[in-house]
Amino acid sequence: MATRIAVAWLLERDWQVWQALDREMPDYPRWLAKIEAAMKQVKASGAQTEKIEIDPDTFVAWCKANEKKVGRDSRSQYAAQMLMQRLTAH
């Protein structure tokens, strides 16, 4: 079984909210190009990516509950945790 890598997947319709939460967020097309390139690299290494769609409100609540700063690292941690929950539920 190939290694699975969680990808924090953000929806374009939520982009204004994401940019308000994280001042380091680029515009959506730039983010999308960057994340898709990273996913191609992961796939080339033999691992699989799994998109974990993140709702901004749920994510902010998770950050507060876990005393995490809202940002890229926390989004990655959240996505990894959600993937683990998904995998252990099946």
Side-chain angles (χ1 to χ4, degrees):
M1 179 187 256
T3 301
R4 288 185 177 180
I5 306 294
V7 175
W9 195 256
L10 313 178
L11 299 179
E12 185 174 13
R13 71 173 181 239
D14 298 326
W15 211 252
Q16 285 184 320
V17 175
W18 286 116
Q19 286 186 313
L21 291 170
D22 183 353
R23 297 189 185 273
E24 295 182 13
M25 293 296 285
D27 62 26
Y28 184 78
R30 189 166 148 214
W31 173 84
L32 186 60
K34 192 174 179 180
I35 201 80
E36 287 178 339
M39 290 171 65
K40 283 182 185 178
Q41 283 185 316
V42 168
K43 190 173 183 179
S45 74
Q48 294 179 337
T49 58
E50 188 150 347
K51 294 177 184 175
I52 305 297
E53 191 175 298
I54 301 180
D55 171 73
D57 294 334
T58 305
F59 172 68
V60 169
W62 178 88
C63 286
K64 287 179 183 175
N66 292 280
E67 299 179 352
K68 302 280 185 184
K69 180 181 175 191
V70 173
R72 183 181 58 197
D73 291 342
S74 294
R75 285 191 301 274
S76 295
Q77 290 173 16
Y78 177 81
Q81 184 177 330
M82 294 302 106
L83 177 58
M84 288 299 296
Q85 287 178 7
R86 185 182 292 175
L87 294 174
T88 58
H90 291 104

